[in-house]
């Protein structure tokens, strides 16, 4: 599964997937609603924006991201994973006629 971004469509990636007998899932181009990581990044962004002191450089940003990552509620991450079937079904339903197995 990928979002059809060009890095995943290179010949090297295609050959690797084929050599490992991996079949791609049909997936809409850039589908943030289906990408749980987009929701995690959003949560991290909100937590950093809420801080009184914003990062002044990339090193501080990196440290804040690591700190906030460790504090993300595991239940939130768990619920994102559990919501994938519903998200896929809803997306497919809006595009018509497909069945999710």
């Amino acid at each position: 599964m990928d979002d059809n971004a060009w890095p995943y469509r290179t010949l090297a990636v295609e050959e690797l997937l084929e050599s490992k007998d991996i079949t791609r899932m049909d997936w809409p181009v850039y589908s943030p609603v289906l990408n749980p990581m987009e929701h995690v990044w959003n949560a991290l962004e909100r937590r950093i924006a809420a801080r009184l002191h914003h990062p002044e450089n990339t090193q501080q940003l990196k440290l804040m991201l690591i700190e906030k990552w460790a504090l993300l509620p595991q239940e939130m991450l768990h619920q994102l994973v559990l919501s994938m079937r519903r998200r896929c079904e809803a997306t497919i339903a809006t595009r018509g006629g497909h069945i999710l197995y």
Side-chain angles (χ1 to χ4, degrees), residues 15-100:
E15 289 174 349
L16 174 68
L17 293 175
E18 187 176 311
S19 73
K20 302 293 183 184
D21 196 30
I22 297 172
T23 304
R24 288 184 194 270
M25 291 175 60
D26 289 334
W27 207 249
V29 175
Y30 186 69
S31 183
V33 76
L34 294 177
N35 185 344
M37 196 60 211
E38 294 294 332
H39 297 274
V40 174
W41 281 118
N42 185 271
L44 287 170
E45 181 180 19
R46 285 193 317 269
R47 284 166 170 76
I48 288 175
R51 292 177 59 110
L52 294 176
H53 302 290
H54 295 270
E56 295 177 9
N57 55 50
T58 55
Q59 182 61 26
Q60 286 181 2
L61 177 59
K62 179 181 175 181
L63 292 173
M64 285 182 190
L65 284 169
I66 291 169
E67 172 192 334
K68 295 300 180 186
W69 177 269
L71 296 174
L72 284 175
Q74 289 299 303
E75 182 60 22
M76 179 193 84
L77 302 174
H78 183 69
Q79 289 302 317
L80 280 171
V81 172
L82 291 179
S83 72
M84 286 307 299
R85 181 176 183 89
R86 177 183 47 80
R87 292 169 188 272
C88 288
E89 288 171 343
T91 300
I92 290 169
T94 62
R95 297 181 190 282
H98 301 289
I99 298 172
L100 182 63

